Amino acid sequence: MSPSETDRPATVDATGLRELIDSGHAPRLLDVRTPAEFETSHIPGSYNVPLDLLKEHREELRRHLDEDVVLICRSGARATQAEQTLAGVGLPKLKVLDGGILAWQAANAPIRQGTPRWDLERQVRLVAGSIVLVSILGSVFVPQLKWVAGLIGAGLTVAAVTNTCAMGMVLGKLPYNRGATCDLDTIVGQLRDSTGERA
């Protein structure tokens, strides 16, 4: 087995996860998208633990996650980062939902809908595209502005190669993408209350 194959997280597809949930042996579902994305739509019974909060408080969260865990995001990229973070603190039995919430919705699996908002990836495309457009148009008057477009292009290239996105992390901190219950104490309280009603 090549090193790249051993670095890949274990995955579960939408059908397999649905069967686990329906069988009564549901794993703990952690949705690592922003609170706004989570409020727009999420798998019933999942907990919202945004990726930046998970990375910052992984040790604390580790103490409340000892069973099977499935990590969820839009398409799988952020969930893979979350898997690497939690695996680094010794959490066993981690899986990533293959294809993320998009695959779950495509499989017509149960989803809880809320107020529609733009997902983080769409916001990044809007902001990056707008900066490039404005800098190219502005370079007619101030030629040095063309370098701003070049920097954005370089940033998007690095984001693709490293499977991370600095612009996405910054946008995720904006009030539009934050929710009222997006704090460590609330999340830990929800995780502790295994007998309570899930979100």
Side-chain angles (χ1 to χ4, degrees):
M1 190 176 283
S2 71
S4 63
E5 289 173 339
T6 58
D7 291 343
R8 290 185 194 150
T11 60
V12 60
D13 64 15
T15 303
L17 179 56
R18 191 170 182 182
E19 288 170 0
L20 281 172
I21 293 169
D22 291 344
S23 74
H25 301 290
R28 185 73 64 118
L29 306 176
L30 297 187
D31 191 319
V32 299
R33 297 174 300 152
T34 66
E37 290 174 294
F38 183 80
E39 289 168 9
T40 296
S41 64
H42 63 270
I43 299 172
S46 60
Y47 298 88
N48 185 215
V49 185
L51 181 60
D52 59 340
L53 190 139
L54 182 141
K55 286 181 173 182
E56 184 178 345
H57 299 286
R58 58 186 169 264
E59 295 284 350
E60 174 72 18
L61 292 168
R62 164 68 181 96
R63 292 194 290 266
H64 302 285
L65 298 169
D66 55 358
E67 65 265 23
D68 292 334
V69 174
V70 173
L71 298 158
I72 303 158
C73 68
R74 181 178 183 273
S75 62
R78 283 178 277 175
T80 299
Q81 291 178 45
E83 186 275 339
Q84 293 165 351
T85 298
L86 292 174
V89 293
L91 189 65
K93 301 181 183 178
L94 293 167
K95 289 189 176 123
V96 170
L97 176 59
D98 192 24
I101 200 80
L102 295 177
W104 183 262
Q105 289 173 311
N108 292 318
I111 196 92
R112 182 160 292 150
Q113 296 285 353
T115 305
R117 295 190 196 197
W118 283 18
D119 61 56
L120 202 54
E121 183 179 310
R122 187 175 181 190
Q123 293 175 50
V124 168
R125 290 193 309 256
L126 173 70
V127 171
S130 298
I131 292 171
V132 168
L133 179 62
V134 168
S135 62
I136 292 298
L137 291 174
S139 70
V140 170
F141 305 104
V142 182
Q144 293 81 2
L145 284 177
K146 68 183 176 196
W147 295 108
V148 173
L151 286 173
I152 295 296
L156 292 173
T157 302
V158 169
V161 170
T162 62
N163 202 22
T164 61
C165 184
M167 186 180 292
M169 287 187 269
V170 170
L171 290 174
K173 295 182 185 305
L174 293 177
Y176 177 83
N177 291 311
R178 293 320 233 169
T181 59
C182 183
D183 63 82
L184 181 65
D185 292 336
T186 301
I187 292 168
V188 167
Q190 290 172 348
L191 294 174
R192 274 192 200 133
D193 186 17
S194 60
T195 59
E197 183 180 347
R198 289 189 178 183

